[in-house]
Amino acid sequence: MTTTTPAVDPILASVLQRRLDAISKEMATLLMRSSRSPIFNEIGDLVTVIFDAHGRTLAQAEYAAIIAFGARPPLEYILEYFGDDIHEGDVIIHNDVFTGGNQNADTGIYMPIFHDGQLVAWSAAKGHLADIGGMTAGGYDPNAKEVWQEAFRIPPVKIYESGVLRKDVWDLVAANIRFSFVMEDVKAMVGACAIGRRHIQALLGRYGRATFDTHMEYVLDSSERQVRAEISRWPDGVYHGESEMVSDGLDPTRRYRIACEITIDGEEITFDFSHTDDQAPGFTNMPPASASGAVRIAFLMLVAAGDIVIPTNEGLFAPIRTVFRKGSLLNPNFPAATIFGNQMSDEIMECVMSALADALPDRVTAGWAKYMATALHGTDPATGEPYVTLTVFQRTGPGAMNGSHGWDALGFSGTAGQMRAADPEMFEITSPHFMEYHEYLPDSAGAGRWRGGLGTRSAWRSDGVHAHGVTMGEDIEAEGATPGLGLFGGHDAGLNRMLLEYPDGSAYEWGSKEITDLPPGTVIRSWCGGGAGYGDPFERDAAEVAEEVRSGLLSAAKARDEYGVVVDAATNLTDEAATRALRGLRATTTKEKN
C-alpha cells in the first residue's frame, strides 16, 4: 500500500503552528498554577516544550529562556539512550549536566506522545527545582568543587513505565531532596506534559499524522528560510568579542576571560568560544547546553531587531553553529561543579554584542549591568520548617540600542526579561523575610541618546534561623568589576553593591559569589546597576530628560553634567536658555578639538 504525501496548505500550517504555541503556553499556565514552589508559581523559572519524534523543537513557552533552549539537548541524549525502549505511558526525568542538562537544578520531565502505536512527538516541562540534593539547600554553594557536592545527578530514568509509576525510582529521587513540596512540583510537571500529550493526540486524531508531519516540516523549513535570509543581509566577516568574569567563588580576585570569534558566511553564522579560559576549580563553569542557550538568546535579540517575527522552533537555529572547547569554562570536564553556569549568560551576551557592534550597529545593545541576586535558606521560626528562596526581584538594567532606551529593571539576560519577579508580599509570606523597600535606583541608567535601563535598589530583613545566603551574580563594585561599555558615545553601565547590616550594628560588603551566615535580624541592602547608553547623551531630547528629573529617576546634577540639560531646582522646569548655552558650548568645544 502506498501513501501519498499531503499537499501543504500554508493557512493550515499557520493554524497548526499557532495551535502548538497555544498548547505549550497552556502547559506552562497549568504548571505555574498547580505547583507549590514560588520559584515556579511566582517567578516562572520554567519552560514547556513540544518536540517532534526526532527531538526537534516545534513550539515552546519560554518563561526562562536559558532553560527553554536547554531543554532540547537532554532529549537528544534520551533518544540515543533508550533507543526503541520508549513506550506509550513512559515518563522520563533528567537533570544531569554531563548528559545534556544545562543546570542540575533545572530538572526536566519528558513524555513521549504516540498515535496509532507510533512515536510522533514529545511534550516536556523543565524548571528550576527549589532543591535537588547536594551539600547545600537550593544547590548554590561557592565551595562546591565537583558535581556530587551540588546535586543528586539524574541521568535519564523512567519514573513511569508504560503508564505505571515506578515507586522505587520515585522514592529514590524524593529521598535525595530536602523539601517535600519539590516532588509536588515534579507531579505538576508530569501533569503539564499530560495536558500537552492530550492536545497533540487530539490534533493527530483530527488531521492525521501525515498531514501533521508534512505541515510541521513546512513550518520548520519556513522558519529556516526566513532566518537564513536575515543572516544573508549581515556583512560577512570574522568578528571578535570578549567579556570578563570576576571571582570564581573561591578566589574573589581571580578573573576569567570569555572570548568568542563570530564568523558570518553567507546564510550561516558560527560562534566559536575556543579561546575562552580553562575551567574554574569552583562552581563558575557553564555546561555547553547552557552556553548554547545563551548564544541563542543573543542571536534572537539580533534577529528581533530586524522587525521580523519567526516562530521559535528548530528551524530558527538551523543556520547556527556553536563551538565550546572541552575543558574550558563553557564546556568543563567531568566532574566539574557548574551550578553558577546559567548566570554566565551575561558574559556570553556581552561577548556577542561587543563583537558585532561595528558590523551590526543598529541591532546590538550596549553593555548590560550583569545579574545579581541571592539564594537564601534556613529554618522559618514561625513554622519550624526549612525554606529556600531566590531574590530575583533584584533587577539590573539592560543596555540601550539604536532607537530604543533599555528596558527598566529587566534583569537577567538569560531569561530575556520573561522570568517574573515574585510579589513582595508573597516573598514575605513564603519565607521569613520583611521587605523594607524595592524601587528603581535613580541615576543608575547609563546616559546616551538612548539611555540604558534603570537598575533597582532593595532592602529586606532576614529573620530565618540558621540562615545562610549565597550571592549569585557579577559586577560587584568592591571587587573591581569592569562595567558594561556604552556604544557610540553612550556612557557605561553601572555596577552592583551588596551590603549586610548585622543586628550588632556592624556591616559587611558582600561579594559576588559568596556564602555567608545571616543572623536573625540581618538587613540585606542591594544596589543593582543600570545598563549602558547608546549614542551621544547631548543628542537626547531635553524635554524627556527634564521629565525624568521631575519624576525622580534622574538627578538635576546628572541631567546637567551628562545630558547638558539644566533643570531649575525650584520649579523642576527646563531652563531652555541655559540648556542651549551648555549644549552649544560642548558642541563648540568638540568642533575646536577636531
Side-chain angles (χ1 to χ4, degrees):
M1 178 179 178
T2 59
T3 58
T4 303
T5 301
V8 171
D9 178 355
I11 294 177
L12 178 59
S14 180
V15 169
L16 290 174
Q17 179 257 313
R18 284 166 172 75
R19 180 68 182 122
L20 291 185
D21 282 345
I23 291 171
S24 67
K25 290 179 172 61
E26 182 178 343
M27 291 168 60
T29 299
L30 181 141
L31 175 53
M32 295 176 71
R33 292 183 177 178
S34 61
S35 58
R36 292 278 303 279
S37 170
I39 298 174
F40 276 28
N41 54 45
E42 279 287 307
I43 297 172
D45 196 356
L46 54 86
V47 61
T48 48
V49 193
I50 301 296
F51 299 99
D52 71 3
H54 307 291
R56 297 180 300 176
T57 303
L58 299 180
Q60 61 186 29
E62 62 265 16
Y63 280 84
I66 195 70
I67 302 178
F69 299 132
R72 179 186 55 84
L75 183 53
E76 290 181 349
Y77 185 82
I78 287 168
L79 288 165
E80 177 185 348
Y81 183 83
F82 284 105
D84 294 332
D85 187 22
I86 296 173
H87 309 282
E88 189 160 8
D90 288 351
V91 179
I92 298 165
I93 188 170
H94 175 275
N95 81 335
D96 181 31
V97 298
F98 292 102
T99 54
N102 66 288
Q103 186 189 65
N104 286 315
D106 294 341
T107 301
I109 295 294
Y110 295 85
M111 183 177 292
I113 300 172
F114 285 77
H115 177 70
D116 290 339
Q118 292 184 317
L119 177 65
V120 295
W122 292 79
S123 58
K126 188 171 185 177
H128 186 113
L129 296 184
D131 186 69
I132 196 65
M135 66 182 185
T136 302
Y140 287 95
D141 192 326
N143 295 308
K145 296 181 180 179
E146 56 186 24
V147 64
W148 300 289
Q149 294 174 316
E150 293 188 301
F152 178 58
R153 290 178 64 203
I154 309 174
V157 62
K158 296 180 182 180
I159 54 175
Y160 282 82
E161 190 164 16
S162 298
V164 178
L165 174 67
R166 292 198 58 182
K167 189 174 184 297
D168 54 350
V169 176
W170 184 271
D171 289 346
L172 174 65
V173 175
N176 285 277
I177 294 175
R178 293 171 175 81
F179 307 111
S180 59
F181 67 81
V182 169
M183 297 308 291
E184 299 302 314
D185 288 345
V186 174
K187 290 179 184 178
M189 287 196 284
V190 173
C193 290
I195 288 294
R197 178 179 62 187
R198 182 188 308 167
H199 285 313
I200 296 297
Q201 288 175 333
L203 275 181
L204 291 162
R206 178 174 180 178
Y207 295 103
R209 179 174 184 181
T211 296
F212 180 84
D213 284 351
T214 298
H215 286 77
M216 286 301 97
E217 287 291 344
Y218 175 83
V219 169
L220 296 180
D221 289 345
S222 176
S223 293
E224 182 175 346
R225 287 195 304 272
Q226 282 183 275
V227 76
R228 284 186 179 278
E230 188 71 8
I231 294 173
S232 70
R233 290 190 281 270
W234 301 358
D236 285 357
V238 179
Y239 308 97
H240 300 270
E242 291 188 8
S243 184
E244 182 181 68
M245 180 176 68
V246 179
S247 176
D248 56 16
L250 299 173
D251 180 356
T253 68
R254 185 73 183 272
R255 281 165 160 74
Y256 292 84
R257 174 175 174 260
I258 296 88
C260 66
E261 180 178 275
I262 302 175
T263 302
I264 301 175
D265 183 9
E267 299 178 347
E268 298 188 345
I269 184 168
T270 299
F271 299 85
D272 187 343
F273 289 81
S274 296
H275 295 292
T276 291
D277 282 352
D278 291 345
Q279 69 190 68
F283 73 164
T284 53
N285 296 295
M286 193 177 199
S290 182
S292 178
V295 169
R296 290 183 172 202
I297 293 169
F299 175 73
L300 277 182
M301 290 185 182
L302 296 169
V303 171
D307 294 327
I308 63 170
V309 179
I310 305 175
T312 306
N313 56 44
E314 206 61 39
L316 177 56
F317 303 108
I320 295 179
R321 181 171 175 261
T322 54
V323 180
F324 308 109
R325 177 176 58 85
K326 190 67 175 171
S328 72
L329 282 172
L330 308 182
N331 188 5
N333 291 314
F334 177 82
T338 61
I339 191 70
F340 187 79
N342 278 359
Q343 278 67 46
M344 293 163 65
S345 175
D346 287 331
E347 282 80 2
I348 298 283
M349 174 76 67
E350 191 165 70
C351 271
V352 171
M353 295 299 174
S354 63
L356 297 175
D358 291 328
L360 300 171
D362 293 336
R363 293 175 180 266
V364 297
T365 64
W368 293 41
K370 295 187 179 72
Y371 183 58
M372 174 51 66
T374 68
L376 309 170
H377 62 91
T379 300
D380 190 334
T383 64
E385 296 293 324
Y387 69 89
V388 62
T389 189
L390 305 178
T391 62
V392 297
F393 53 77
Q394 296 174 260
R395 294 295 175 109
T396 52
M401 64 182 298
N402 187 37
S404 178
H405 300 311
W407 285 69
D408 293 331
L410 187 71
F412 180 35
S413 66
T415 66
Q418 295 158 311
M419 192 169 73
R420 308 182 308 183
D423 182 279
E425 292 183 353
M426 290 303 297
F427 173 61
E428 294 176 333
I429 290 170
T430 57
S431 63
H433 297 97
F434 176 78
M435 182 74 79
E436 291 190 0
Y437 57 81
H438 175 58
E439 58 195 6
Y440 287 137
L441 177 59
D443 283 351
S444 58
R449 169 67 185 87
W450 308 100
R451 69 160 174 81
L454 290 161
T456 59
R457 60 185 176 193
S458 314
W460 65 97
R461 188 183 69 238
S462 172
D463 293 325
V465 180
H466 309 301
H468 294 81
V470 184
T471 46
M472 45 182 191
E474 188 63 74
D475 269 5
I476 289 289
E477 184 175 5
E479 293 177 342
T482 302
L485 298 179
L487 289 180
F488 309 112
H491 294 186
D492 293 347
L495 295 172
N496 301 321
R497 184 187 179 200
M498 297 288 294
L499 181 70
L500 298 178
E501 295 178 349
Y502 295 116
D504 64 4
S506 62
Y508 178 69
E509 294 282 348
W510 206 358
S512 62
K513 308 165 189 72
E514 182 179 3
I515 186 168
T516 189
D517 295 338
L518 299 174
T522 300
V523 175
I524 304 165
R525 299 195 187 277
S526 164
W527 295 265
C528 291
Y534 186 110
D536 184 354
F538 272 48
E539 294 179 2
R540 188 178 177 196
D541 181 67
E544 193 177 71
V545 173
E547 179 57 34
E548 289 194 351
V549 174
R550 285 191 288 273
S551 66
L553 300 177
L554 184 67
S555 67
K558 184 168 182 175
R560 180 188 63 249
D561 297 341
E562 299 193 22
Y563 289 103
V565 176
V566 181
V567 179
D568 187 279
T571 65
N572 269 344
L573 297 177
T574 305
D575 186 328
E576 296 183 1
T579 296
R580 284 195 301 271
L582 183 57
R583 287 187 162 187
L585 176 63
R586 208 286 296 268
T588 300
T589 303
T590 302
K591 184 176 180 181
E592 290 174 351
K593 287 182 179 180
N594 293 335

